Amino acid sequence: MALVLDPTAQDLLFREARTANTFTDEPVTEEQVQAIYDLIKYAPTAFNQSPLRVVLVRSPEARERLVQHMAEGNQAKTSTAPLVAILAADNEFHEELPALFPHFPQAKDVFFSERAAREQAAGLNASLQAGYFILGIRAAGLAAGPMTGFDAAGVQKEFLDEDHTPLVVINIGKPGEDAWFPRGPRLDYDQVITTV
């Protein structure tokens, strides 16, 4: 066997995991979110910049404000998921670099003094962390429903500020009835992997 990870864990994280479209009303606890974060905080990022920021949408008022910015096909599931997370890139992540990258604290000014460089780095590295966030949700025995169908400018204005770029909205919870669409096809190994 080429993989060390237990086959049951492989199934939980990858083979059997699906994007959920319906959820039960079982709440997602703060302890579950903390456990998810305690796993995903180790995601690799350049210079350990860790630019991902997460807004948990729990209150009915906040949920209503978010739903109005979701694409029509995403509104119903977002309004009924037990927990919704807005994942964003912090374009001012460089302010934390002296603490996060202590062996080269000058990286803040050497590489990230320009806003455009920060935005590019933050978007890429926070997206890597977002992938880990989804795996963390699965590791907690929950289902994730990640969506990019939303008005990014509206979500930014409503929940963030000009220094934070929304990347993805994720519905989180136990999968409900008819939660899954049929699994889509995947590319074959030789369509993706090239050896040179």
Side-chain angles (χ1 to χ4, degrees), residues 31-32 35 41 66 72-73 77 88 90 94 114-115 134 140 143 150 153-154 157 167 169 171 176-177 182 196:
E31 292 77 19
Q32 287 172 302
K41 67 184 177 184
L66 176 60
E72 186 176 344
K77 52 191 169 185
D90 181 359
H94 68 306
E114 299 294 325
R115 174 71 179 222
I134 292 167
F150 60 90
K157 182 176 180 183
L167 300 172
V169 174
N171 294 327
E177 190 174 336
V196 294

Side-chain angles (χ1 to χ4, degrees), residues 14-152:
F14 299 100
R15 290 190 199 99
E16 300 299 324
R18 308 283 292 280
T19 295
N21 293 287
T22 67
F23 298 88
T24 69
D25 58 3
E26 183 178 330
V28 177
T29 67
E30 202 61 41
E31 292 77 19
Q32 287 172 302
V33 176
Q34 180 69 55
I36 291 166
Y37 178 71
D38 287 342
L39 280 180
I40 68 101
K41 67 184 177 184
Y42 298 110
T45 57
F47 297 95
N48 197 33
Q49 62 189 244
S50 306
L52 181 69
R53 302 294 179 265
V54 180
V55 176
L56 298 178
V57 181
R58 286 198 183 273
S59 74
E61 298 79 17
R63 182 75 59 102
E64 190 174 308
R65 289 172 23 228
L66 176 60
V67 167
Q68 69 182 344
H69 297 292
M70 301 303 295
E72 186 176 344
N74 293 330
Q75 290 179 350
K77 52 191 169 185
T78 302
S79 68
T80 58
L83 180 62
V84 182
I86 301 168
L87 275 58
D90 181 359
N91 298 309
E92 297 297 310
F93 68 86
H94 68 306
E95 297 296 342
E96 304 294 337
L97 283 182
L100 292 173
F101 205 62
H103 58 280
F104 185 38
Q106 305 90 332
K108 171 187 171 189
D109 299 314
V110 172
F111 296 106
F112 302 111
S113 62
E114 299 294 325
R115 174 71 179 222
R118 291 196 306 274
E119 287 180 355
Q120 182 179 17
L124 172 62
N125 288 280
S127 293
L128 289 171
Q129 290 182 283
Y132 271 69
F133 192 83
I134 292 167
L135 288 175
I137 292 168
R138 293 172 176 178
L142 301 170
M147 302 165 291
T148 55
F150 60 90
D151 172 13

Side-chain angles (χ1 to χ4, degrees), residues 164-175:
H164 294 81
T165 303
L167 300 172
V168 62
V169 174
I170 302 180
N171 294 327
I172 304 169
K174 293 282 187 180

